[in-house]
Structure formats: C-alpha cells, structure tokens
Amino acid sequence: MTVQKRERGGQIRWVGRYRGPDGKERSKTFDTKGAAKDWVGDREQEMRRGEWIDPDMGRVTVGEVAQRWEKLAGKEGTRANRHYLTQQLGRLDGIPVAQLRTPHINEWVSELGAGRPWAENRPVTVSTIRTLCAQLSGALHLAVEEGMIAKTPRIPRPPKPPQSISRSELVTVGEVRALAEAARDGIKGAKPGKGVRASPTLARMILTAAGTGLRPGELAGLRVRSVDFLRREVAVLEQAGLLATDGRRPLKTRASRRVVPFGNDVLDLLSEELREFPVGDQSESVFRSARGLMWTAGTTSNAFLRLREHLGLDSHVTFKSLRHFYASTLIAAGASVTMVAEYLGHASPAITLEVYAHLWPGDDDRARKAVDAVALLSAGGAGPVRDGAGRLALA
C-alpha cells in the first residue's frame, strides 16, 4: 500500500494505492498527500477488521438488491411480499446500496405514510409500512452477506397498530347493503372511466363475505364443489392466486382450512350466482369475472375500495370489514370464543380475543341484565324472596 506523487501540467496530485483481499489493486487520486494517506489507512483498517467492501459491489443499487431478494424467496406468498417491495421503493430504487443511509430510509417511510409520489400520492397503511420495512431489512441483510455493504443502516418500523377493532369501526347492515347495491347497479363517475361498472357478481360476493367471514382470496378461490348446498356449508380449502392466471394457492395457515356454515340468505346468493352464470365443471370458481376469469384478493379488494370511495364511507372500511361484520354478528348471537375462532380460521382463540374481546358482554352487562330481571318497578319480577322459614331464596 503506497501513496505516490504525480505532477501533470504543473499541478501536483497524490495517488493512494492498495491491494484488496481479492488480489486486485485499486487507486484513488487526491489533492493532498494527507488525504491520500488517510484513504489508504482507512482501507487497511477495513481489511484488518474484515469490513472491507468491494467498491464494484457497493455500486449495486437498492432496487437490484431487492430484485435479488425476491428471486431467493421459496414460497409464493413470500415472493409476493418481496415483489411488492420492489414496486414501492420510490427514490430508494436507484441509490447505490453502499450509499444508503438511515435518513434516506426515514424519508421513504414518511412518504409511504403521508402519500407516495410514485403512486399518485396515495398512502399505505401502518401494517403495510411495517411489512415493507421488514422486507427492506431482509434485503439489506442479504447485501451484507454477499459483501455489498459492511452493515445495514438503521431501519425504523412504526409501532404495531392495535389489533382490536373498535365498535365505531364496524360496518352496519345498512352500509353492507349500500355497498352491495352500488356494486349491483354500478356508479356513474364524473369523468369517463372514473365510475364503477355494474357487477351483480361483486354484489353477491360482498353479501356472501358478510355472511361467512371468508377472506377475499378464500372467497375468490371458492370452487363449486366446495359448497354443500344441502348442509349449507362451505369448505375453505384453498385461496385464489395472486393473478387471475395463477390458479390457486395454499391457505394462509393450517387453521384457515375449515368448514363454515351459512344461512338461507347466502344459500340464495350462491344459487342465484350459479343460475345466472352456470358452470360446466364442479372444479370451477363460484364467482368469476365478466371475462370468465377467477377473481383474486387484489381485484376483489380494489373493486370494493372504489365502491367505498364513491359512497363516501370512512377509510377504515375495507373488504376485511365484512369479516369483522360476520364476527360481530356471531358474538351478538351468543357464539363462544372457540366457535368464532374456528369459523374465522384463526390459529388460536387468543387471536380472536385480541381483536374482538371487547365485543363480548362483560361483567357490567351481565350485572345490568341481572338487575333488570328483578323488575324493581313492576310486579312479578325475579329476585331474592323469603321462604316459609324466613330464609332468602331466588324466585
């Protein structure tokens, strides 16, 4: 490792040289001898500490690292999450990974939440930001393993949003009906292409989701043969792929595989759908698009969001709100925690309680009902009385 003096055209420059662990010699020119010596010294320390990075590797961009991270995914769901990262990098995409710093990431996280310049200034949810941060962290750890960077910059992650769904966030029967009616009749937009095309199928999907609690992918991937019209139940065995041409993919978890009973309204909806759009094969989807393709979780949710926007409903209303509607309906009818967890496909009742515990009647509610049953202001109410021996007993 040396520092050499060079003079050209009367100007003196200093060239620092060193040989890396890969055997290649590298150099850089400076205006002063001290700067050249410092640069060579820094490289020496990096090699002694095992922190030396090939400058050529450091020029690989964050976007290229994310694409490599996506290719290494083993499962389809994991690959989908990593692919989504490659689409949401914004300004990070073209930054050389060796030059990426925490302030860059902080700005990116801020844009995700406030409005993405690369996506018409539309924000994403806190849970989506957390997922993207986790995927970026994984991609940067890959960059460390492959010698592109010495260590990952700090990646902030927003606090985990509360899982509990408040009563004010539950959709009402009227709102569910309004969404279904808007889907069935369509909504004319102020400008061409800004409305919502009439879709009786989407209307039935909305009502079926409210009556079964199925996730959008589960509903989209539901086959005719998975519906038992006589017993009035659906077997949830798989879900739609990420694209309409992908076919089906495994469910989210083992617990997601379940049998869900349904009522007469859902029976009528499913029967009506198949009468209007008959199938020749029991393996086909119950619900299909106007082109005869399978719906996906994405197309279902996006169509639902357009309806919500046109109807002016709150931003917390998503297709998942229909699942919450179903759960709250079961709870109001007196269903146990275990039953609700089973029909929703939760891995354990603890998950169900985390989201819906406050919807079950508490001690205060039971106390009010007990006192009301006494009927203090009317004759004939139930309550403590004295028997013939003067002892208290419940009537």
Side-chain angles (χ1 to χ4, degrees):
M1 299 190 183
T2 60
V3 174
Q4 297 176 331
K5 179 180 178 181
R6 279 189 178 176
E7 185 174 353
R8 288 183 181 176
Q11 186 176 13
I12 297 176
R13 304 293 298 277
W14 299 88
V15 181
R17 298 180 183 277
Y18 76 95
R19 192 173 298 278
D22 57 358
K24 293 182 181 179
E25 185 179 84
R26 293 173 173 81
S27 64
K28 190 173 182 179
T29 303
F30 298 87
D31 292 333
T32 66
K33 183 178 182 180
K37 288 180 68 176
D38 289 344
W39 180 78
V40 171
D42 289 344
R43 303 294 82 74
E44 289 178 336
Q45 289 187 19
E46 288 173 354
M47 286 188 283
R48 282 198 297 269
R49 294 194 298 257
E51 296 176 354
W52 179 82
I53 298 297
D54 184 339
D56 294 332
M57 293 289 285
R59 284 192 282 269
V60 175
T61 66
V62 176
E64 291 170 333
V65 173
Q67 290 173 9
R68 173 152 175 73
W69 177 239
E70 177 190 349
K71 291 178 181 177
L72 293 176
K75 296 181 179 180
E76 186 177 356
T78 304
R79 188 178 300 110
N81 285 336
R82 295 183 183 182
H83 179 69
Y84 187 63
L85 172 66
T86 66
Q87 297 177 315
Q88 302 303 325
L89 286 171
R91 298 172 190 175
L92 298 187
D93 186 76
I95 297 178
V97 68
Q99 297 178 20
L100 183 67
R101 299 292 182 267
T102 295
H104 297 137
I105 301 173
N106 288 340
E107 183 181 11
W108 173 66
V109 171
S110 177
E111 289 178 337
L112 289 172
R116 298 164 292 166
W118 62 91
E120 300 179 351
N121 288 319
R122 294 194 304 271
V124 296
T125 64
V126 173
S127 59
T128 299
I129 295 175
R130 287 177 57 83
T131 299
L132 287 169
C133 287
Q135 291 301 332
L136 178 62
S137 176
L140 294 179
H141 276 90
L142 174 67
V144 172
E145 291 175 3
E146 298 194 347
M148 301 178 194
I149 53 177
K151 61 181 181 179
T152 64
R154 187 183 68 83
I155 301 177
R157 290 186 70 183
K160 187 177 180 180
Q163 295 296 308
S164 177
I165 179 80
S166 69
R167 293 181 186 274
S168 62
E169 292 177 311
L170 292 172
V171 290
T172 65
V173 175
E175 288 169 336
V176 173
R177 288 173 180 163
L179 287 161
E181 289 170 4
R184 181 194 64 203
D185 302 333
I187 299 176
K188 187 176 181 180
K191 296 180 181 179
K194 295 297 183 180
V196 177
R197 183 180 301 173
S199 174
T201 293
L202 179 59
R204 296 183 192 113
M205 291 178 74
I206 290 171
L207 294 173
T208 300
T212 60
L214 266 62
R215 301 178 177 94
E218 295 170 346
L219 188 64
L222 183 64
R223 299 179 194 264
V224 175
R225 69 186 182 203
S226 295
V227 181
D228 189 327
F229 289 91
L230 184 61
R231 296 174 62 87
R232 290 185 299 167
E233 59 187 28
V234 293
V236 184
L237 306 173
E238 55 199 341
Q239 61 180 324
L242 299 175
L243 300 175
T245 55
D246 284 350
R248 290 167 176 79
R249 59 192 176 115
L251 294 169
K252 184 178 179 181
T253 63
R254 285 184 182 178
S256 297
R257 191 181 179 94
R258 62 200 188 277
V259 175
V260 180
F262 57 77
N264 290 327
D265 286 344
V266 172
L267 176 65
D268 292 341
L269 290 165
L270 298 175
S271 300
E272 185 179 317
E273 177 69 17
L274 293 175
R275 278 197 304 269
E276 187 171 348
F277 303 105
V279 299
D281 190 336
Q282 294 288 303
S283 66
E284 291 188 36
S285 299
V286 174
F287 302 105
R288 284 150 293 145
S289 69
R291 293 186 295 168
L293 297 175
M294 181 171 58
W295 287 73
T296 67
T299 55
T300 305
S301 298
N302 289 337
F304 185 91
L305 293 182
R306 289 196 297 272
L307 292 171
R308 180 197 72 188
E309 291 171 2
H310 279 281
L311 291 176
L313 298 178
D314 290 340
S315 59
H316 64 73
V317 178
T318 65
F319 201 89
K320 192 174 184 179
S321 299
L322 302 175
R323 187 167 162 83
H324 295 322
F325 176 87
Y326 173 73
S328 63
T329 301
L330 292 181
I331 294 168
S336 67
V337 176
T338 305
M339 180 188 296
V340 176
E342 179 184 349
Y343 292 159
L344 290 179
H346 286 165
S348 75
I351 297 174
T352 310
L353 285 172
E354 184 179 0
V355 181
Y356 303 111
H358 59 291
L359 298 183
W360 267 279
D363 290 339
D364 290 346
D365 295 314
R366 283 188 282 268
R368 293 186 189 99
K369 289 181 179 179
V371 174
D372 285 343
V374 175
L376 293 174
L377 300 182
S378 63
V385 296
R386 292 192 182 277
D387 60 16
R391 292 171 300 193
L392 282 176
L394 289 176

